[in-house]
Amino acid sequence: MTSKPVDLYLQPGTQDRTQITRNALVVTALKLFGTKGFDATSTRQIADASGANIAAISYHFGSKENLRIEVARSVAAHMGQHGPVRASADMDNEAIQGLSPEQARSMIRQHIKIALDRDSLGPLADDILQFFHVEMTQESPVVDILFDNALKHSHERMCRLVSRLNGEAWDSEKTKVAALMIFAQVMVFDLVRPVVLRSMGWDKIGPQERDTILDAAWIN
Amino acid sequence: MTSKPVDLYLQPGTQDRTQITRNALVVTALKLFGTKGFDATSTRQIADASGANIAAISYHFGSKENLRIEVARSVAAHMGQHGPVRASADMDNEAIQGLSPEQARSMIRQHIKIALDRDSLGPLADDILQFFHVEMTQESPVVDILFDNALKHSHERMCRLVSRLNGEAWDSEKTKVAALMIFAQVMVFDLVRPVVLRSMGWDKIGPQERDTILDAAWIN
DNA sequence: TTCAAAATTTCAATCGATTGATTTAATCGG
DNA sequence: CCGATTAAATCAATCGATTGAAATTTTGAA
């Protein structure tokens, strides 16, 4: 329950049966929850697709709902260490204070570019982010896990950067909304992908399409 | 199947039993699908909450999936006639051609303001838009209905307006993405409301909060 | 080091409950 | 009275979860 989250990527030489099973269940659930949704995914589908027995879910995680939480903890932990969130940890608040508006703007652009970049998340990047996006739209215990561990810090850093641009306090309502809107611009294209594909005439949102999106993002 | 969509708002004096039952089922399903999601909503919940019998769903719509589609058709029809989509129908393409950048910018702002305004959709506005948003995130037959009847036209108008600003062709990829991003800025706050509430420290997204969002929207 | 006992993990089978949908009979309005 | 509609009962299928036994791994005394 309160133990270390399951690693989304097992080190190649792992022999531990338990670890392998738990990883398979979490990764499979990550994919199915992200694509079909939590409610539309049955425990049997997860078990079959991960090569485990149905009872394994109850045994290792207690319940389907707990598996969902474990997936969220794994995702949050992984993003915190390797993903876009990690990038914001490199700057400290005092350094931002001294930034010129032009420097801040540049860092914001870089920040957004990293947020769009999926390479840092590994081969599961698409699955991780799809799960992330889906869960963000629903009120559930999972939101708190993702927000506290992967969003809060990143948003605050963005607020401090935006503050250098608009001159307002970093924790003012205006600044906070502006910071959210910067993330929103690139995030929304994944959130409403079905509509985006139809509007744009695309058949997927790949690296090329993401460049187009990034070019259109407004950071002024 | 190919008949007129169910009216979301019955005229007060309606006596027609059939019409009343169908309306109750559609409105109830609209609310439940929007809040709990399609998969997490059972036909019994819909029947109970709407005061109808379980068999009524099969009788009137054929299946739960067909009820979902009927809800989408009703929502699309209602938005097309009364909602934000309607606003874009007032301008024609030739008029937009002659707009100065400054005029276009003003119309875009107005367009967005209308898209944020929920009064035109009536008392069910929140339910309608929540259903709308949820369905936009999932690949389903419903997306096509909503896109074709409520989004396509509105997006094209926005493209033509944006075209007056950036000087590019209205159907260029750059313009189309930019137009999407304008909608995205205000839409995303409803899509990821759970995260927005936590980030902003809000307990709801009401008219006041929407004003704050609108002020932060970038149209340059 | 050896090997049986103990603990852990997996397995097939099954639990009661609920799902979407259907059937049959009663009820309603015209 | 008749067709339209509803109500109650029930369908097979699937849901999440549990069971006890089998298989596997770990442990500990000799």
Side-chain angles (χ1 to χ4, degrees):
Chain A
M1 187 72 81
T2 51
S3 66
K4 195 161 64 89
V6 171
D7 284 333
L8 293 178
Y9 297 102
L10 280 180
Q11 35 248 70
T14 309
Q15 296 285 353
D16 188 345
R17 255 201 324 165
T18 303
Q19 205 174 337
I20 291 174
T21 301
R22 290 172 61 93
N23 172 269
L25 285 173
V26 166
V27 169
T28 304
L30 165 73
K31 294 179 178 178
L32 293 177
F33 289 165
T35 53
K36 312 181 45 169
F38 176 78
D39 295 301
T41 303
S42 72
T43 51
R44 282 170 179 79
Q45 288 172 346
I46 300 171
D48 290 348
S50 64
N53 190 271
I54 319 173
I57 294 175
S58 290
Y59 178 76
H60 285 286
F61 304 103
S63 69
K64 183 189 178 189
E65 185 65 42
N66 275 5
L67 173 56
R68 180 191 203 173
I69 291 175
E70 186 57 36
V71 171
R73 299 209 312 138
S74 299
V75 164
H78 185 74
M79 292 183 73
Q81 290 203 335
H82 307 94
V85 183
R86 177 77 186 85
S88 67
D90 295 336
M91 348 174 210
D92 63 336
N93 298 341
E94 296 88 36
I96 295 178
Q97 288 284 15
L99 256 52
S100 74
E102 206 44 55
Q103 288 172 317
R105 196 189 318 278
S106 163
M107 293 200 69
I108 290 175
R109 283 207 166 273
Q110 181 188 350
H111 204 87
I112 263 211
K113 199 166 289 190
I114 293 173
L116 261 184
D117 174 57
R118 307 197 161 201
D119 295 338
S120 59
L121 289 178
L124 286 173
D126 287 341
D127 301 306
I128 291 170
L129 289 174
Q130 183 147 7
F131 173 85
F132 191 74
H133 291 142
V134 168
E135 290 292 344
M136 271 198 301
T137 66
Q138 302 160 5
E139 193 59 64
S140 85
V142 165
V143 183
D144 290 310
I145 297 173
L146 297 177
F147 178 73
D148 291 339
N149 300 328
L151 284 171
K152 203 160 120 187
H153 185 73
S154 197
H155 178 239
E156 185 182 321
R157 290 304 167 110
M158 185 60 87
C159 283
R160 293 183 186 276
L161 286 170
V162 170
S163 167
R164 301 302 306 154
L165 283 188
N166 65 8
E168 309 251 352
W170 75 268
D171 58 349
S172 73
E173 196 159 69
K174 214 169 186 174
T175 303
K176 285 196 287 185
V177 170
L180 274 185
M181 202 161 279
I182 291 176
F183 289 115
Q185 290 182 59
V186 298
M187 221 172 52
V188 93
F189 284 82
D190 287 307
L191 277 166
V192 296
R193 182 176 42 205
V195 169
V196 169
L197 296 185
R198 284 167 178 77
S199 296
M200 299 301 302
W202 293 341
D203 65 337
K204 68 171 192 305
I205 299 183
Q208 208 166 345
E209 287 77 16
R210 292 186 197 287
D211 281 342
T212 305
I213 295 170
L214 188 57
D215 284 339
W218 288 322
I219 302 124
N220 295 320
Chain B
M1 187 72 82
T2 51
S3 67
K4 194 162 66 88
V6 171
D7 284 333
L8 292 178
Y9 297 102
L10 280 179
Q11 35 249 72
T14 309
Q15 295 284 351
D16 187 347
R17 265 202 311 165
T18 302
Q19 204 174 340
I20 292 174
T21 300
R22 290 172 61 93
N23 172 268
L25 285 173
V26 166
V27 169
T28 304
L30 166 73
K31 293 180 179 178
L32 292 177
F33 289 165
T35 53
K36 312 181 46 170
F38 177 78
D39 295 299
T41 303
S42 72
T43 52
R44 282 169 179 80
Q45 289 173 346
I46 299 171
D48 291 347
S50 63
N53 189 270
I54 321 174
I57 295 175
S58 290
Y59 178 77
H60 286 287
F61 304 103
S63 69
K64 183 188 176 188
E65 185 64 41
N66 275 5
L67 174 55
R68 180 191 203 173
I69 290 175
E70 187 56 37
V71 171
R73 297 208 313 138
S74 299
V75 164
H78 185 74
M79 291 183 73
Q81 290 203 337
H82 307 94
V85 182
R86 176 80 186 86
S88 67
D90 295 337
M91 348 175 209
D92 64 336
N93 297 342
E94 296 87 37
I96 293 177
Q97 289 284 15
L99 257 49
S100 73
E102 206 43 56
Q103 287 172 318
R105 197 190 317 278
S106 162
M107 292 201 69
I108 291 175
R109 283 208 165 272
Q110 181 188 351
H111 205 86
I112 265 210
K113 199 166 288 191
I114 293 173
L116 262 183
D117 174 55
R118 307 196 161 202
D119 294 339
S120 59
L121 289 178
L124 286 173
D126 288 341
D127 301 307
I128 292 170
L129 290 173
Q130 182 146 7
F131 173 84
F132 191 74
H133 290 141
V134 168
E135 291 291 344
M136 272 198 300
T137 66
Q138 301 161 6
E139 193 60 63
S140 86
V142 165
V143 183
D144 290 310
I145 298 173
L146 297 177
F147 178 73
D148 292 339
N149 300 326
L151 284 170
K152 203 159 119 186
H153 185 73
S154 196
H155 178 237
E156 184 182 321
R157 290 305 167 112
M158 184 61 87
C159 284
R160 293 183 185 276
L161 286 171
V162 170
S163 168
R164 301 302 307 153
L165 283 188
N166 65 7
E168 309 251 351
W170 75 269
D171 57 350
S172 73
E173 196 159 70
K174 213 169 183 173
T175 303
K176 286 196 287 185
V177 171
L180 272 185
M181 203 162 277
I182 291 176
F183 289 115
Q185 290 181 57
V186 298
M187 221 173 49
V188 93
F189 284 83
D190 287 307
L191 276 166
V192 295
R193 183 176 42 207
V195 169
V196 170
L197 297 185
R198 285 166 177 77
S199 297
M200 299 301 302
W202 292 342
D203 66 337
K204 68 170 192 306
I205 299 183
Q208 207 165 346
E209 287 77 16
R210 292 186 196 287
D211 282 342
T212 305
I213 295 170
L214 187 57
D215 284 339
W218 289 323
I219 304 123
N220 295 318

